[in-house]
Amino acid sequence: DTFNVVIELLEGGTVIEELWNRLYVLDKLRTTVIAELLKNIQSQDDYTYSFISDDYAKKFVGDGGDWDAFSDAFYIFIDQYIKYVGKNIWGFAIIPDFSNDEGKYRGAFRALNDRVDTSIFAKELGGGGHKSASGFSVKGESYTDELDKVKSVIEKYQPKG
């Protein structure tokens, strides 16, 4: 079905670049969130990670930031950046998720070419997904606690080699 929809769109004159642009609009709000994620990038062993602090998220929302833009920027970052930093081919990011209530965090893993099965980590954190793209949502006290939790899961389940 997906291929039929794509064929129909292309035959109807849809320009791929315009479609891509509509999916990944980088307005000022989204750009500031992506910039914060880029500022917070860390590398550890063979993976990369980033985060948004609780304070940044509260300020973003308190200053009238759109929660949808915040979430969109997170997924743009995780899909387009995290697995391409340095020599690392996989990674994760975690953000506070104030869409329903405080104390909840959303995270996502991405890997290049299925070289790391990220779904193992996500499942251990109560989430799920595919080998190269997975995610999770957890309750916690702070983003630093959740970062530590994710890193310990990676340490426990990452194949050594």
Side-chain angles (χ1 to χ4, degrees), residues 66-95:
D66 175 21
W67 184 256
D68 288 335
F70 188 86
S71 182
D72 289 349
F74 170 69
Y75 286 108
I76 291 168
F77 174 81
I78 200 73
D79 287 336
Q80 302 300 320
Y81 293 95
I82 200 71
K83 59 190 173 191
Y84 301 114
V85 176
K87 294 181 181 183
N88 296 341
I89 58 167
W90 75 282
F92 74 91
I94 190 166
I95 61 169

Side-chain angles (χ1 to χ4, degrees), residues 103-160:
K104 191 173 179 187
Y105 296 86
R106 181 186 307 180
F109 294 96
R110 294 296 185 269
L112 198 58
N113 299 328
D114 294 339
R115 304 233 337 245
V116 174
D117 187 352
T118 67
S119 70
I120 294 169
F121 310 131
K123 285 176 188 166
E124 180 69 14
L125 293 161
H130 304 282
K131 194 171 183 180
S132 62
S134 60
F136 60 95
S137 184
V138 292
K139 284 227 175 241
E141 294 296 316
S142 72
Y143 78 96
T144 55
D145 290 345
E146 298 316 305
L147 278 173
D148 290 343
K149 188 184 301 180
V150 173
K151 289 191 252 180
S152 78
V153 166
I154 290 169
E155 180 66 28
K156 180 178 178 183
Y157 288 98
Q158 184 178 12
K160 304 294 180 215

Side-chain angles (χ1 to χ4, degrees), residues 26 48 145:
L26 289 178
T48 302
D145 290 345

